[in-house]
Amino acid sequence: MSDVQEATNQLLDVNLHENQRSIQVMESGPRSEFETLQVTIGATVPTGFEQTAADEVREKLRSSCKISKDRGKIYFDISVESLAQVHCLRSVDNLFVVVQELKDYQFKETKEEVLKDFEELAGKLPWSDPLKVWKINTSFKKKKTKRKKINENLSKEKIDNAQGDKRDEKDVKKKLTDDALESRMLDYYENSAIKEEISTLVGDDLASFKDETDESSRGETAPEVLKFRVTCNRAGEKHCFSSNEAARDFGGAVQDYFKWKADMTKFDVEVLLNIHDNEIVVGIALTEESLHRRNITYFGPTTLRSTLAYGMLRLCDPQPTDIIVDPMCGTGAIPIEGAAEWTNCYHIAGDNNPLAVNRAANNISSLLTKNQIKEGKLSWGLPIDAIQWDVCNLPLRTGSVDIIVTDMPFGKRMGSKKKNWNLYPACLQEMSRVCRPGTGRAVLLTQDKKCFNKALSGMGHLWRKVHTVWVNIGGLHAAVYLLKRTPQAFVHSSEQGGERTPW
């Protein structure tokens, strides 16, 4: 170990302990005021996988979770200290903090009266705590961006040092120490397994927020004029108003109440007005774009959302050492999500299209690079491989695969429904060959339900349908089928004619 590295490690330990002690002294101050702050978080999830998302929340956050009547949404209560962990959930698309939930809301008979009520509603809502959470969340996102830049700089420092850069050693020591310290602190903030460090840093953000609020109230700094927009999501047939009309009038009242500036594109705050039949939920968005974009950099014509891929994988309950195969991987959304979450399994991504395999390989490489930047060091890689193959003649041994998870061609953008009548039976037969008898599982997504059920009906001796999840994929009504491999051994038709496949 070099002198620079030794000095860095020593100073890291000293500064971390000093920072922890200094923040602990403040516990009787700002932190205690917000320590018990409880808020309700709303999350949009893939339609049909609400229960899967609720199970993940209970498992990772130890929080009770309510599934909304409005499909594709869940709600759960957290302390503000758990906010960073919420962003690490794999099954949620978008997050928002609930300002207020109005159940059994009585709409007036005329449009004018309803819109007038919306205007009056803005001034009656408890905005204080949700805006504090929004402020902390914004600070958290800035920290993530800053940490990314720090790790990129650290990586460049290591490369430069390896190439024999002759810079002053004292400057190198100081820069590495400062950057590494801040990076370590931010790593703690994101690490869901270390609650104390997360609490400390959130407490630091809360203290900072309180200081800014106090200065603003004393008139020492001019309050910043925020830009905002209101987005209305409405479902129900008995409404006498449109979503745009509700957003317009409610947004006007919000603007009058806070003196914010309306901006439909470059906004700081997005206020959500969710209306489902006679239920209204007002919230503040915590995500600028859907979390399902976390893994994929190179998109194809039918790229599956990472959140839906997670739901499909969780449905088959992967166990350590399982071999999980996606024989029609496309851009690799399913196996990449699996490799990121189930690192004790081995994932194989395959497709017959060389362009798709190339996209999958590029996405794997991109994710590996992101992980290296995040960790600030070289990685051993991901438990995943990509290969080009024929789905009807897989180069895998009989009974060698534990789980098959794939998005089958719908026959819309790719292929055709006519071709599916030949493809689906051949796929199911080859999947039954490579899947382990008795314990093997398959989770298959398709919109061509008629063709799939027909193909499955001829495979009853090899596959048993366990469960069906109905999902909405880009407006298409699709199904996710969970199949269990029967104990019956696979007998290839070619063996009966005296021939045998090499697998």
Side-chain angles (χ1 to χ4, degrees), residues 41-61:
I41 299 295
T44 60
V45 303
T47 304
F49 281 97
E50 295 89 352
Q51 188 59 55
T52 301
D55 291 340
E56 186 191 13
V57 168
R58 296 186 189 104
E59 176 186 308
K60 295 182 177 179
L61 299 180

Side-chain angles (χ1 to χ4, degrees), residues 237-253:
E237 299 178 355
K238 297 182 180 180
H239 301 142
C240 60
F241 56 91
S242 67
S243 298
N244 286 336
E245 290 171 335
R248 180 196 65 203
D249 287 47
F250 183 73

Side-chain angles (χ1 to χ4, degrees), residues 153-224:
N153 291 335
L154 280 171
S155 298
K156 290 178 182 177
E157 289 280 3
K158 291 176 182 177
I159 293 171
D160 291 341
N161 288 336
Q163 293 175 345
D165 188 8
K166 303 296 185 181
R167 279 174 295 191
D168 184 68
E169 191 168 317
K170 290 183 179 180
D171 292 340
V172 174
K173 283 183 182 180
K174 186 176 186 303
K175 182 171 179 56
L176 282 174
T177 300
D178 294 344
D179 286 353
L181 171 62
E182 194 156 6
S183 179
R184 282 274 296 275
M185 295 288 281
L186 295 175
D187 279 336
Y188 285 153
Y189 186 76
E190 280 193 302
N191 191 340
S192 58
I194 310 177
K195 184 177 179 180
E196 290 184 6
E197 284 79 358
I198 292 175
S199 303
T200 299
L201 283 162
V202 172
D204 194 27
D205 284 332
L206 287 167
S208 174
F209 172 66
K210 184 177 184 298
D211 290 341
E212 291 174 11
T213 305
D214 290 344
E215 287 182 7
S216 177
S217 62
R218 289 195 300 265
E220 295 178 5
T221 59
E224 180 185 1

Side-chain angles (χ1 to χ4, degrees), residues 196-303:
E196 290 184 6
E197 284 79 358
I198 292 175
S199 303
T200 299
L201 283 162
V202 172
D204 194 27
D205 284 332
L206 287 167
S208 174
F209 172 66
K210 184 177 184 298
D211 290 341
E212 291 174 11
T213 305
D214 290 344
E215 287 182 7
S216 177
S217 62
R218 289 195 300 265
E220 295 178 5
T221 59
E224 180 185 1
V225 178
L226 295 174
K227 298 177 182 178
F228 85 105
R229 81 171 185 187
V230 172
T231 302
C232 178
N233 301 298
R234 184 181 62 86
E237 299 178 355
K238 297 182 180 180
H239 301 142
C240 60
F241 56 91
S242 67
S243 298
N244 286 336
E245 290 171 335
R248 180 196 65 203
D249 287 47
F250 183 73
V254 170
Q255 184 177 25
D256 292 340
Y257 185 75
F258 287 107
K259 307 304 179 186
W260 291 342
K261 182 180 179 181
D263 194 319
M264 297 297 103
T265 54
K266 298 179 180 179
F267 52 87
D268 302 304
V269 184
E270 182 177 19
V271 179
L272 303 176
L273 181 63
N274 296 327
I275 303 172
H276 182 257
D277 291 333
N278 62 340
E279 180 180 278
I280 296 178
V281 177
V282 180
I284 299 175
L286 300 179
T287 49
E288 294 177 4
E289 66 174 7
S290 176
L291 298 176
H292 81 262
R293 296 178 176 271
R294 56 180 171 259
N295 296 335
I296 304 301
T297 306
Y298 300 86
F299 289 85
T302 58
T303 300

